[in-house]
Amino acid sequence: MSGLISLRLYFHHSERANAQHPKRFWQRLTRPSLARHLLNHAKRAGIEQAVLHRVHAGYLNGDWLHHEHVEAAHHRFPHCIELIDLESKVRAFWSTHGQGLQNVRAVFLPCEKAMVES
C-alpha cells in the first residue's frame, strides 16, 4: 500500500456537506457545497493533488442525461472530484470523510507513475 492511487468521487451538483452542528439554524441553511467541503478537507489532510473536473454532460445512477448550460446548472448535474496521493493517505482520508455520504460513488483507481527521460 505504498503506491499512488486515485480516488474519484461522483455526486450531484446540488449535494451539500453535512452540518457540523445540525441544531444551529444558520449552519443548516448555509452548508457549503460538497465539492468545496471535500476540496478544503483534502487540502487540510495534505492530499498531494485534488481536482474538481469540469463536466460538460452526463448522468449519475440512471438519471436523465444533463448537459451543461451557461446560465444555470441542473441540481442533478454530475460532479467529479479526483484525489491522488499514496494509497494509505487516500484511504485514510476516505475513512475519515466518507461517513454519511450516501449519495457519493467512490471509485479507487491504481496509478502508474510515468517516468520522464531527460
Side-chain angles (χ1 to χ4, degrees):
M1 288 205 333
S2 60
L4 288 178
I5 194 168
S6 170
L7 170 60
R8 284 190 163 211
L9 304 171
Y10 298 93
F11 52 92
H12 292 118
H13 168 77
S14 63
E15 289 291 327
R16 298 278 173 206
N18 291 331
Q20 298 294 333
H21 305 282
K23 295 184 183 201
R24 294 184 183 169
F25 173 74
W26 287 110
Q27 287 190 344
R28 278 192 320 238
L29 187 65
T30 61
R31 294 181 300 161
S33 73
L34 184 57
R36 179 181 175 145
H37 174 79
L38 289 171
L39 288 172
N40 284 337
H41 280 287
K43 181 68 174 174
R44 284 189 212 131
I47 299 294
E48 184 179 314
Q49 180 175 326
V51 177
L52 174 62
H53 289 284
R54 183 175 175 89
V55 177
H56 296 282
Y59 62 91
L60 295 175
N61 200 20
D63 285 342
W64 293 94
L65 178 62
H66 298 287
H67 295 276
E68 178 183 40
H69 191 273
V70 176
E71 294 177 6
H74 190 274
H75 70 282
R76 298 196 54 90
F77 194 72
H79 262 20
C80 175
I81 288 183
E82 181 176 37
L83 307 175
I84 298 177
D85 206 330
L86 297 176
E87 183 172 2
S88 56
K89 209 169 174 182
V90 173
R91 288 192 186 275
F93 175 85
W94 182 243
S95 68
T96 302
H97 299 286
Q99 274 68 16
L101 300 179
Q102 298 85 358
N103 299 324
V104 176
R105 176 168 284 176
V107 179
F108 287 93
L109 304 165
C111 297
E112 292 184 28
K113 196 170 185 177
M115 300 304 286
V116 179
E117 293 183 29
S118 47

